[in-house]
Amino acid sequence: MTNSKTVLIISTLDTKREETRYLKYKFKEIGVLPLLMDLSMRGKEASHAELTPSHVASAGGSTIEEINKSKERSTITNIIIEGATKIARDLYDAGKIDGIMAIGGSTGSLMATDVMRALPFGIPKLMISSTAALPGLSTKYIGTGDILLFHSVIEISGLSDMLTNVMDRACYAMKGMTKYVSNTLSTNNKKTIAMTMLGPCEQCANSVRKALEKEGYQVTGFSAAGVGDRAMENMIAEGFFQGVIDLAPGGVGEHYFGFMRDGGPDRLESAGKKGIPQIISTCSVNHMTPSRSKYKKEFHKRRKYDLDKFRTWLRLSTDELKEVANEFARKLNNSKAPVKVMVPMQGWSSVDAKGNPTYDPEEDRVFVETLRAKLDPRIQIIEINANMEDSAFSQQVIKSALELF
C-alpha cells in the first residue's frame, strides 16, 4: 500500500466503537489508510484511536479531564470542535491526509461537518449520517462546504447487513474520490474569476462568462441566494480567485436587514481584504426577500414582484436604499485593489424592467447618489443607459473586466 491514500475518520468511540472499527477494517481491506480521530467527550474505555480525545481536547486548549467533569455541554462541544478543526487543518496543510470521512447522528454530524468545512474546497468530505434527511439539519451540516452527505436511513447502531452495506458503499466512494480526483486546486498561471449569478440577471452573467472564457479566463459562478454568496467569500479569502465580478450583491442588504438571502457579515469584503480587483453591479440590491411568515404589516403594501409561487421580491424604500448604500461604501472603501461599480440606469435586473411593478429608476438614483457621496474617490462609478439584461450592459462589463483583470 505504498501509494495508498490516507483518510481521516472522525467518530465518537464512546457511542460508535463497533461501527467505527468496521470502517477502519473496510478501508484497510480496499487499500486505503485510515487515521482515526475520536471526539468522545464521555468515554470510559481507552480510545485506541490514533488521535485520542486527549489529543483533541489539548488542541482545543483544554484537557480531557476538564471535558469529562464539565456539565456545560455547549462549551465543551465547542472546545472539541476547535481542537479537532486545528488537528485536521494541520494534517491537511502537512499533506498527511487526502480525504475526511465521519459517521454519526445529530450531534456527531454537527461536530464532524464543522471540522470538514474548515478544510479547503476540493478535498473529499463524506458524512455518513442517520439524520441527513431531517429538515433544517442537512443545511446546517453542509453550510457552505462541499460535503457529500450519505444518508444511512437506518440508525448507526450495530453491524447489521444493511449498515455494513451503507459503510461499504461510502468507503468505496471515498476511495474513488481520493484516488481518481486531484484534491488540490491551484490558481497558478490561471486567470480565475468568481462571479455571482441570479436568475433575474442570468442573461448578463452568461454573456460575460462566455466572452471571458473565449479570452482564456476561467469563470466560476455562485448563486447569490445567500449560501452561494457566503461560499464565494470564503473561497476568495482562501485565494482561489484573481478577480471578482459581483453582479448580484443583494446579500449585503439582506444581511443588514436580516432577510432570506443573507450573504453573511463578510459579504463584499473578502476581495478587498485580499487585494483582488472587483467589478460590482446592482442586481437585486433594490429588492428584499423577507420570509412571508415574518412579513411586517407594511410589507403587504409594498410594490412587489412574484418570481414564482415560493419567491417574492419587495421593493426597498428610499431610506432603506440609503442604508444599503452606506453599507456598500463602508465595505468597498477598505479595498486594497481597484474597484469599479457598474450601474444599469434602466433597471437592475429582468424583474426591475419597464412595465414591472417595482421598476423605479428615480428611486434607484437615491442609492447611486448616496454611494457616490460616501465612496472613496478612487472607486469609479460607471452608469450605463441600459437594463442589466441588455447586451449593451454586459458588453460594458466585459470591457471593464478585460481592462481590470
Side-chain angles (χ1 to χ4, degrees):
M1 296 199 301
T2 54
N3 294 319
S4 294
K5 301 294 185 178
T6 299
V7 172
L8 178 65
I9 300 174
I10 298 178
S11 186
T12 49
L13 297 190
D14 57 346
T15 60
K16 301 285 186 290
R17 183 176 297 271
E18 185 181 12
E19 300 80 11
T20 306
R21 188 178 294 156
Y22 180 83
L23 278 180
K24 289 192 70 176
Y25 156 78
K26 191 64 186 180
F27 270 138
K28 290 177 180 178
E29 183 183 64
I30 65 176
V32 175
L33 294 174
L35 178 63
L36 176 59
M37 179 158 60
D38 182 6
L39 304 191
S40 299
M41 293 183 286
R42 291 287 185 262
K44 295 181 180 179
E45 297 182 47
S47 174
H48 299 304
E50 287 81 11
L51 297 162
T52 67
S54 292
H55 288 110
V56 178
S58 177
S62 184
T63 67
I64 195 59
E65 291 76 22
E66 291 175 349
I67 296 293
N68 288 336
K69 291 177 184 177
S70 176
K71 295 181 180 179
E72 299 294 329
R73 184 177 174 86
S74 176
T75 300
I76 62 175
T77 297
N78 288 335
I79 291 170
I80 292 295
I81 291 172
E82 183 179 344
T85 298
K86 184 179 187 305
I87 291 171
R89 187 77 203 204
D90 288 347
L91 287 168
Y92 174 77
D93 290 342
K96 293 181 178 180
I97 58 172
D98 303 287
I100 181 169
M101 182 173 177
I103 186 169
S106 298
T107 300
S109 298
L110 286 167
M111 294 174 71
T113 52
D114 269 1
V115 179
M116 290 180 183
R117 287 194 301 276
L119 297 181
F121 182 93
I123 180 173
K125 309 170 184 72
L126 192 155
M127 180 72 232
I128 305 172
S129 176
S130 58
T131 59
L134 287 183
L137 278 183
S138 59
T139 54
K140 287 183 172 62
Y141 296 156
I142 296 172
T144 60
D146 57 330
I147 297 170
L148 174 59
L149 267 186
F150 198 125
H151 187 204
S152 67
V153 181
I154 58 176
E155 186 56 79
I156 301 170
S157 179
L159 293 179
S160 66
D161 289 346
M162 286 185 177
L163 185 59
T164 56
N165 174 275
V166 168
M167 293 193 288
D168 287 353
R169 285 184 282 141
C171 288
Y172 275 107
M174 179 57 76
K175 178 177 180 177
M177 287 189 286
T178 56
K179 181 177 180 180
Y180 298 110
V181 182
S182 171
N183 64 21
T184 56
L185 294 170
S186 172
T187 61
N188 293 336
N189 302 317
K190 291 181 181 178
K191 296 184 284 187
T192 54
I193 307 297
M195 182 168 68
T196 49
M197 308 175 79
L198 206 59
C201 62
E202 184 175 12
Q203 188 170 310
C204 176
N206 285 334
S207 296
V208 172
R209 175 182 60 80
K210 290 176 182 178
L212 292 182
E213 286 174 348
K214 286 182 179 179
E215 297 295 327
Y217 291 86
Q218 190 174 100
V219 181
T220 300
F222 293 86
S223 174
V227 175
D229 305 46
R230 294 170 186 249
M232 183 184 75
E233 295 291 340
N234 290 344
M235 293 177 69
I236 290 170
E238 289 175 4
F240 280 98
F241 301 107
Q242 297 171 331
V244 177
I245 300 175
D246 207 341
L247 296 177
V252 173
E254 295 279 301
H255 176 73
Y256 184 80
F257 295 116
F259 296 145
M260 292 177 66
R261 291 184 295 114
D262 182 348
D266 300 324
R267 190 68 179 90
L268 213 64
E269 294 182 8
S270 297
K273 292 176 181 177
K274 198 74 176 176
I276 296 171
Q278 305 172 76
I279 292 172
I280 310 296
S281 194
T282 52
C283 177
S284 80
V285 170
N286 51 1
H287 290 81
M288 63 179 177
T289 57
S291 170
R292 290 180 183 176
S293 64
K294 297 179 180 179
Y295 269 26
K296 298 177 183 178
K297 285 185 179 180
E298 65 97 0
F299 286 175
H300 293 281
K301 300 176 183 179
R302 296 271 183 128
R303 288 171 287 170
K304 68 175 185 175
Y305 186 93
D306 293 320
L307 272 72
D308 50 44
K309 64 181 180 179
F310 300 109
R311 298 176 299 167
T312 297
W313 280 13
L314 303 182
R315 175 85 194 183
L316 289 183
S317 69
T318 53
D319 286 342
E320 289 163 344
L321 285 170
K322 289 178 183 178
E323 291 179 78
V324 176
N326 287 332
E327 280 294 284
F328 269 61
R330 181 180 67 81
K331 291 169 178 284
L332 293 178
N333 283 342
N334 293 322
S335 299
K336 299 176 183 177
V339 179
K340 289 187 178 183
V341 179
M342 306 190 70
V343 183
M345 296 169 64
Q346 298 300 318
W348 295 357
S349 67
S350 60
V351 168
D352 194 31
K354 288 182 180 179
N356 287 348
T358 62
Y359 177 69
D360 195 332
E362 288 188 14
E363 286 193 0
D364 291 340
R365 290 213 62 78
V366 171
F367 173 89
V368 177
E369 295 309 320
T370 303
L371 185 62
R372 193 189 307 278
K374 295 296 179 70
L375 272 182
D376 189 300
R378 64 191 169 85
I379 298 177
Q380 185 181 9
I381 296 180
I382 303 170
E383 295 179 284
I384 296 96
N385 189 25
N387 183 276
M388 177 168 278
E389 290 287 72
D390 293 341
S391 61
F393 182 75
S394 59
Q395 290 302 312
Q396 287 298 315
V397 174
I398 294 163
K399 180 176 181 290
S400 293
L402 294 176
E403 293 171 350
L404 201 58
F405 307 136

